[in-house]
Amino acid sequence: MHFHYDVPGDDFSCAGSASAEMKKKLKQLGIPFDIIKRTAVAMYEAEINMVVHAGGGEADIDILDDEILIVMKDHGNGIPDIEKAMQEGYSTAPQIVQELGFGAGMGLPNMKRNSDFMTIDSKIGVGTTVTMRINLSPKKEPVAVGAETPVSCANCKAGAVNSAGVVDSGVSTAKVAQGGG
């Protein structure tokens, strides 16, 4: 089953509409509450990021036999430093956005925390695509703080895994193989 949503940019009154609609559809399909909650949180954070940083974008969701596949794509300026962006509390949101209660620097960390698999493909001047997978079976135990998170990187130069679980290769494309707690 496939769903597509346009995420309007610079309009906080519509931010979160796709995740709210997806939440309703998942309830109608009888998906377990914990999976619905994780899906809604991950999508909402991505929608807010699109509104704040990219002027909007698109959300494509596929409900498969064993997982929910979420692809959030924008045509913004891209993320220049994914490692920094993955740090809790790091934000590049303008002051006016922060005064509205957004831009606390928890978007990407919350997306990772609520997904079982997450990739970030970001190119400066082109945009960012975040792909998240949420297993429909019960979530595995969270990875302990300080534990190594398996990481692979497509189309990247060889690099070391940094503290954010991202391959540090100077290219802003990374695959985070397992979400957090």
Side-chain angles (χ1 to χ4, degrees), residues 102-147:
F102 300 100
M106 294 302 296
L108 289 173
N110 279 338
M111 291 161 59
K112 179 181 175 186
R113 186 176 292 112
N114 283 283
S115 61
D116 294 300
F117 182 87
M118 177 177 156
T119 64
I120 300 170
D121 181 12
S122 190
K123 294 179 180 63
I124 302 304
V126 177
T128 300
T129 300
V130 176
T131 303
M132 297 172 281
R133 296 176 184 274
I134 299 175
N135 294 329
L136 290 174
S137 59
K139 187 172 180 184
K140 297 174 187 162
E141 288 299 312
V143 176
V145 174

Side-chain angles (χ1 to χ4, degrees), residues 32-63:
F33 175 74
D34 62 319
I35 302 296
I36 295 171
K37 180 180 174 186
R38 291 174 56 216
T39 303
V41 168
M43 282 186 64
Y44 177 80
E45 294 288 6
E47 284 181 80
I48 293 299
N49 279 354
M50 287 178 171
V51 172
V52 171
H53 301 288
E58 300 176 4
D60 284 287
I61 300 88
D62 288 294
I63 302 171

Side-chain angles (χ1 to χ4, degrees), residues 1-7 16-23 25-26 29 31 35-36 38-40 42-44 46-47 50 57-64 67-73 130-134 136:
M1 201 175 295
H2 179 80
F3 300 94
H4 175 84
Y5 301 96
D6 289 320
V7 178
S17 297
S19 58
E21 186 63 30
M22 199 68 239
K23 183 177 177 181
K25 292 190 184 306
L26 293 174
L29 292 170
I31 302 293
I35 302 296
I36 295 171
R38 291 174 56 216
T39 303
M43 282 186 64
Y44 177 80
E47 284 181 80
M50 287 178 171
E58 300 176 4
D60 284 287
I61 300 88
D62 288 294
I63 302 171
L64 306 171
E67 69 181 5
I68 299 171
L69 173 64
I70 304 164
V71 179
M72 308 294 284
K73 184 175 183 174
V130 176
T131 303
M132 297 172 281
R133 296 176 184 274
I134 299 175
L136 290 174

